[in-house]
Amino acid sequence: MKRSTFLRAASATVTGATLLGANIGPASAEAKPAFAVTHVGGPTTILEVAGLRILIDPTFDQPKKYPSGLEKIQAPALGVDQIGEIDVVLLSHDQHDDNLDDSGRELLKRVPVVLSTPGAHKRLGDHVTGMKSWDSKDLKTPRGTVKVTAVPALHGPDGVDRGADGEVTGFVLSGKGVPTTYISGDNASVKVARKLGHRVEKEIGRIDTAILFAGAARTPAILDNAPLTLTSENAAKVAKDLDPRKVVAVHTDSWNIYSEDMKSLVKAFKRQGIADKLVDMEPAGSRTDLS
């Protein structure tokens, strides 16, 4: 799809102006896989569900160094002009380049619906809707309604409050005919994931698929190099606790702060006896059917 076509499609997908419960329009009614995922690189993932194309944490820069000290070391599998129309962005947080880089910030301005944290709303503007934990929004499509619920996430070790710099959210997708999907965001805590999982199962339903941000992100400048996202071992523990049908692991490649990769993740899942749950999601830019 050419860039100009993408922009027209994106601007046409939501009717009803600024209402977040508004219908996702005709462009999203095209035939698509019922439930599919494409890993672009780092945390950046495209999820197709119930006629919606959802983009998680957009990062599309080429390799470069940032004033923050982060460095992107691998190009995305797809460029912005290759991803097609996007109906919704789920942004775990906006403070760190590896979850929202320069190209991602530009892309946000052209996507009809962007859901993130209250802090992201303040920093990025009214185009971004801030959601507190357990707030929810209904996104209506010609194929039904996808409910998006914000859920807790802890961007660092248990017991540590990083303040505004650590504000991050996860999301749960649900609805009639929608596989209940947990998107962890930059959560590093097994306890937080376990607790929210119990509540989700009680109030929404059993989690079918988990998209886990792993990689054990570390930087010497924060908490003495403590892991700020799930380690491989903790990702495997979360997967065993939540017991989803499938696990898509992202956030293990493309940036210099990820200290663990997919190889260590696979080993950890094998140790927990749940390797069969793990979907092979190298950042190849190819669509994988999750149904």
Side-chain angles (χ1 to χ4, degrees):
M1 181 180 287
K2 294 182 179 179
R3 186 181 184 86
S4 59
T5 305
F6 164 69
L7 297 181
R8 288 198 298 272
S11 63
T13 51
V14 172
T15 60
T18 58
L19 293 178
L20 266 186
N23 291 341
I24 303 296
S28 293
E30 301 171 2
K32 299 186 180 82
F35 191 42
V37 64
T38 303
H39 186 200
V40 176
T44 306
T45 308
I46 300 168
L47 187 63
E48 299 175 49
V49 58
L52 282 184
R53 298 190 81 243
I54 298 169
L55 178 63
I56 302 167
D57 283 13
T59 58
F60 291 95
D61 287 350
Q62 293 298 306
K64 60 185 286 188
K65 292 183 179 180
Y66 297 83
S68 64
L70 272 69
E71 182 178 358
K72 192 166 193 181
I73 57 177
Q74 181 176 320
L78 299 172
V80 170
D81 58 347
Q82 297 174 301
I83 61 175
E85 65 179 88
I86 297 297
D87 301 308
V88 182
V89 166
L90 300 182
L91 177 63
S92 69
H93 63 302
D94 68 302
Q95 305 96 297
H96 306 133
D97 300 305
D98 64 313
N99 296 86
L100 182 66
D101 64 12
D102 296 334
S103 299
R105 288 177 184 273
E106 288 301 312
L107 176 61
L108 288 188
K109 301 172 184 177
R110 307 191 293 269
V111 177
V113 176
V114 181
L115 305 180
S116 190
T117 65
H121 168 75
K122 292 178 182 178
R123 287 181 290 269
L124 299 177
D126 290 341
H127 186 53
V128 176
T129 296
M131 299 176 69
K132 297 178 181 178
S133 292
W134 304 108
D135 284 352
S136 64
K137 301 291 182 183
D138 288 338
L139 302 178
K140 297 180 181 178
T141 82
R143 299 186 183 185
T145 299
V146 178
K147 183 177 182 178
V148 181
T149 303
V151 295
L154 180 62
H155 201 0
D158 287 313
V160 172
D161 181 1
R162 294 178 55 200
D165 184 58
E167 182 189 33
V168 63
T169 187
F171 300 95
V172 170
L173 310 180
S174 61
K176 185 176 180 180
V178 177
T180 299
T181 303
Y182 167 52
I183 302 163
S184 74
D186 273 14
N187 173 59
S189 171
V190 175
K191 291 180 181 178
V192 167
R194 182 183 298 129
K195 185 175 180 179
L196 73 85
H198 290 161
R199 179 166 173 175
V200 168
E201 183 168 4
K202 181 179 179 180
E203 298 182 5
I204 298 174
R206 182 175 176 178
I207 293 172
D208 174 87
T209 300
I211 300 178
L212 300 182
F213 288 27
R218 302 173 192 267
T219 174
I222 300 176
L223 302 177
D224 295 325
N225 228 30
L228 305 178
T229 57
L230 290 169
T231 64
S232 296
E233 287 295 336
N234 283 345
K237 289 177 182 178
V238 168
K240 191 162 188 177
D241 285 343
L242 301 184
D243 194 27
R245 180 178 60 90
K246 292 293 182 183
V247 175
V248 176
V250 298
H251 200 274
T252 66
D253 59 80
S254 303
W255 294 82
N256 67 333
I257 60 170
Y258 305 158
S259 63
E260 298 180 8
D261 58 14
M262 277 297 298
K263 290 182 180 178
S264 67
L265 198 69
V266 169
K267 291 178 181 177
F269 272 63
K270 286 181 178 178
R271 284 192 289 271
Q272 291 288 344
I274 54 172
D276 59 321
K277 293 183 181 293
L278 192 59
V279 178
D280 182 5
M281 284 305 299
E282 294 295 331
S286 57
R287 181 188 289 122
T288 298
D289 187 357
L290 295 177
S291 59

